[in-house]
Amino acid sequence: MSITSCVSTKYRHLVDSEVLRMAVLSNYFNLEEITTARKVSAAVINISGRQRMLSQRSAFFCMRLVCSQNAAERAKLRGNLLQAIALMDKSHRDLINTHSSNLLSPPSPTVKAMYFEGPLYLDKQVREYIHRIKALMQVPDAELSLENPDLKYIIAAAGDELLAAFDAVVSQYQQESEIEQFEIDLKQVELYQESCAATSKAETQAAEIDRALRELKQTQAQLMHSEKMSSIGALMASIVHEINNPVSFIHGNSIHAKTYTEDLLHLLCLYQEYNPNPCAKIKETIAEIDLDFLVKDLPKVMSSMQIGAERIREIVKSMGSFSRTDNSKMTQCDLHDSIDSTILILRNRLNAKTDRPDIQIIKNYEKLPGVECYAGQINQVFMNLISNAIDALDETAQNQPNAALKIYIRTEVAGSDRVRVRITDTGGGMTAEVKERMFEQFFTTKAIGKGTGLGLSIVYKILVENHRGTLRCESEAGKGTEFIIELPVEQI
């Protein structure tokens, strides 16, 4: 369940239960008992809500800490994190230890089980979450990165398991509170009016929280995407710059070296022809170096070196094309070049491994016009989709060792002003539930540390929002997955 849906469901549950409670009450209790019960419920819900807010706040501070380049800001963020986890720890202790607050009643056996037993183990989750934040804060500034395992755990937990556990406990507190207050007298007009006001306030708060969480998720996604693309672009540009000059020297001189080698070998043949009986020392050296083999193999060596230099130049060219990050204006882009560059960058992942054979790329290109787009963003789209296809095939190979591992890439003209790209894999496909949620931010089916849940949401944003394109997915469990991209040729 997503963060937004969790919060919205919680407040809808509050409103519905309030109406139900007021409709069926029949017994009469005095106002002091009613007020006390409400104070206990409000305190528990407020502390639980503070836990949820602090987990999200601390995750956001962790992201800012890793992404910030300012030492002073990082120091301030570390201080903010210390305060947040201290409050989180205190709130947690308040909920499970009744002596920490005079207002709280002892937690029920059900609530205790949710804290200390499976499947939630909320106490363990909270302590692990705080431990991970403390571990991240111990990392020196120079070693902070988006690949830090503690950061990945924090982001994943804050948006998935930990949040779901908080909501489950809050829901349980609410249900128990409803049972305790089910005997409130319907005749208490004043109580009814207060309840209506509280319901209205809860709806307003729910709307505000929904909006704030959407903004937080969007900010987190943009920060992670911008930092990732900036780092990749800068790294590749630096590598291309460092490699390009020496490779050019090797490639340029290999042609001359091949010519010189052929000339020297020709001269050697002439020496052998006109001086067939050299001295004993020369004969000894000829035998030592195996001259006949050397004469045959040297041209092959020079040819192999020239082919290798050409191969390195292709890789450097592809890296230079992929590292384009100037998205200030749109340019005409050859989609085939973008796809080929991406495949070349990912070639190492396509090669055979100890536990699976090669992944085959089968291309079927039609002639396409140039497409007006942000080239760097389109490269990122192909990178994410092809990488996901490789991940799906890796998983398939683990479960079905003899499965065919193929990725089909087909391009075609889709009408007078649009082009279409189909990327199809022979992996395990998706269930209907996964397919429905695959474009949600932070939703992922991969293990912690192997995915952020941002790839497809970023792809969707690039294609639909930034390029007026479309992105569709056709998939069934066990039958592979096909992503269908359509882009306009010109952006109006």
Side-chain angles (χ1 to χ4, degrees):
M1 183 180 294
S2 67
I3 298 174
T4 303
S5 60
C6 284
V7 177
S8 299
T9 301
K10 175 177 76 70
Y11 279 102
R12 284 198 299 272
H13 179 70
L14 277 172
V15 174
D16 293 342
S17 63
E18 184 74 10
V19 174
L20 176 64
R21 181 167 64 250
M22 299 308 300
V24 300
L25 296 181
S26 58
N27 296 330
Y28 178 83
F29 279 78
N30 62 53
L31 286 176
E32 183 177 355
E33 291 177 335
I34 294 171
T35 303
T36 301
R38 283 195 174 275
K39 284 183 179 180
V40 171
S41 299
V44 170
I45 294 172
N46 284 341
I47 293 175
S48 302
R50 181 167 59 183
Q51 285 284 79
R52 185 187 301 104
M53 179 273 292
L54 288 170
S55 69
Q56 298 295 298
R57 183 180 178 85
S58 58
F60 182 62
F61 281 153
C62 288
M63 276 299 307
R64 287 184 58 190
L65 176 66
V66 171
C67 294
S68 175
Q69 300 300 317
N70 184 287
E73 184 181 16
R74 280 179 165 171
K76 182 178 179 182
L77 287 168
R78 291 180 191 274
N80 291 339
L81 277 170
L82 281 174
Q83 294 178 0
I85 60 176
L87 285 173
M88 191 172 179
D89 185 48
K90 182 181 184 305
S91 299
H92 182 64
R93 286 186 280 105
D94 284 346
L95 287 170
I96 60 178
N97 301 317
T98 56
H99 60 77
S100 299
S101 173
N102 295 326
L103 197 58
L104 296 183
S105 59
S108 69
T110 301
V111 172
K112 284 186 177 179
M114 297 173 81
Y115 274 99
F116 301 105
E117 300 176 13
L120 293 185
Y121 294 107
L122 181 57
D123 178 72
K124 181 179 178 181
Q125 285 197 58
V126 171
R127 295 182 188 281
E128 176 65 10
Y129 189 78
I130 293 173
H131 172 72
R132 292 291 189 124
I133 293 176
K134 290 180 178 179
L136 181 66
M137 291 169 59
Q138 298 301 316
V139 177
D141 287 356
E143 297 177 17
L144 287 171
S145 76
L146 292 173
E147 298 304 317
N148 184 283
D150 292 316
L151 175 65
K152 290 182 177 181
Y153 175 91
I154 291 164
I155 297 302
D160 191 0
E161 295 182 359
L162 184 60
L163 186 64
F166 278 143
D167 286 336
V169 171
V170 172
S171 177
Q172 180 63 29
Y173 275 129
Q174 292 166 352
Q175 292 176 15
E176 294 177 3
S177 174
E178 290 167 4
I179 293 172
E180 292 173 0
Q181 297 186 33
F182 227 75
E183 299 175 342
I184 297 175
D185 193 349
L186 184 61
K187 297 179 181 180
Q188 295 292 334
V189 177
E190 181 181 355
L191 177 62
Y192 177 79
Q193 293 174 341
E194 291 177 359
S195 176
C196 290
T199 299
S200 177
K201 183 178 180 181
E203 290 175 341
T204 302
Q205 290 176 338
E208 292 175 353
I209 291 174
D210 282 346
R211 182 174 61 256
L213 289 177
R214 284 196 300 270
E215 292 174 356
L216 174 60
K217 289 167 64 178
Q218 185 69 21
T219 301
Q220 288 175 330
Q222 290 174 351
L223 283 172
M224 294 180 69
H225 177 55
S226 298
E227 183 68 18
K228 178 179 179 181
M229 290 306 298
S230 176
S231 299
I232 290 175
L235 177 61
M236 284 196 173
S238 176
I239 293 173
V240 168
H241 177 73
E242 292 297 327
I243 294 177
N244 193 47
N245 286 340
V247 168
S248 297
F249 296 152
I250 295 171
H251 180 266
N253 288 323
S254 66
I255 299 173
H256 301 300
K258 183 178 180 182
T259 302
Y260 299 157
T261 301
E262 291 172 351
D263 291 342
L264 289 172
L265 290 176
H266 178 67
L267 178 61
L268 180 60
C269 289
L270 290 176
Y271 268 107
Q272 289 177 323
E273 181 180 350
Y274 290 101
N275 187 15
N277 297 309
C279 66
K281 182 63 176 177
I282 293 177
K283 287 182 178 180
E284 182 182 343
T285 303
I286 288 173
E288 285 182 4
I289 67 175
D290 194 356
L291 182 60
D292 290 339
F293 174 77
L294 187 150
V295 169
K296 291 179 182 179
D297 194 53
L298 185 55
K300 297 178 183 178
V301 172
M302 296 304 301
S303 178
S304 297
M305 292 173 62
Q306 194 168 11
I307 293 172
E310 286 284 358
R311 175 68 175 156
I312 295 174
R313 289 189 73 193
E314 291 178 7
I315 294 173
V316 170
K317 181 181 177 182
S318 296
M319 291 176 66
S321 174
F322 185 83
S323 66
R324 291 177 294 184
T325 57
D326 181 12
N327 292 319
S328 59
K329 62 180 180 179
M330 291 191 173
T331 57
Q332 288 290 323
C333 176
D334 186 330
L335 294 186
H336 294 159
D337 284 348
S338 294
I339 295 171
D340 291 341
S341 297
T342 303
I343 292 173
L344 194 58
I345 297 297
L346 293 172
R347 182 173 296 278
N348 184 60
R349 294 193 61 197
L350 299 170
N351 294 335
K353 299 180 180 179
T354 56
D355 56 350
R356 69 156 173 79
D358 286 335
I359 294 176
Q360 300 180 47
I361 299 286
I362 301 171
K363 296 184 287 189
N364 183 7
Y365 290 169
E366 288 188 8
K367 185 176 181 180
L368 298 182
V371 175
E372 187 179 7
C373 63
Y374 298 115
Q377 292 186 8
I378 295 300
N379 286 341
Q380 180 67 14
V381 167
F382 292 137
M383 174 65 76
N384 284 347
L385 293 181
I386 296 175
S387 293
N388 283 350
I390 295 172
D391 290 339
L393 294 176
D394 282 339
E395 184 176 345
T396 297
Q398 298 295 323
N399 301 325
Q400 305 175 39
N402 297 322
L405 306 180
K406 297 180 180 180
I407 299 174
Y408 297 88
I409 302 177
R410 178 182 175 185
T411 62
E412 57 193 9
V413 175
S416 60
D417 61 347
R418 297 178 78 82
V419 296
R420 183 182 297 122
V421 180
R422 298 176 180 267
I423 300 176
T424 310
D425 66 66
T426 58
M430 306 182 206
T431 63
E433 180 184 0
V434 172
K435 184 179 174 182
E436 183 179 353
R437 300 186 57 196
M438 64 183 173
F439 295 125
E440 291 182 13
Q441 290 178 348
F442 303 110
F443 174 74
T444 180
T445 58
K446 299 176 183 177
I448 294 176
K450 292 187 176 182
T452 63
L454 291 174
L456 287 179
S457 66
I458 289 172
V459 166
Y460 187 87
K461 176 180 177 63
I462 289 173
L463 293 174
V464 177
E465 297 182 19
N466 297 359
H467 289 87
R468 299 192 305 110
T470 62
L471 176 63
R472 292 186 292 118
C473 176
E474 301 293 338
S475 182
E476 281 186 52
K479 295 186 178 180
T481 300
E482 179 179 51
F483 283 96
I484 305 166
I485 299 167
E486 286 193 13
L487 287 170
V489 174
E490 295 182 355
Q491 298 289 333
I492 301 174

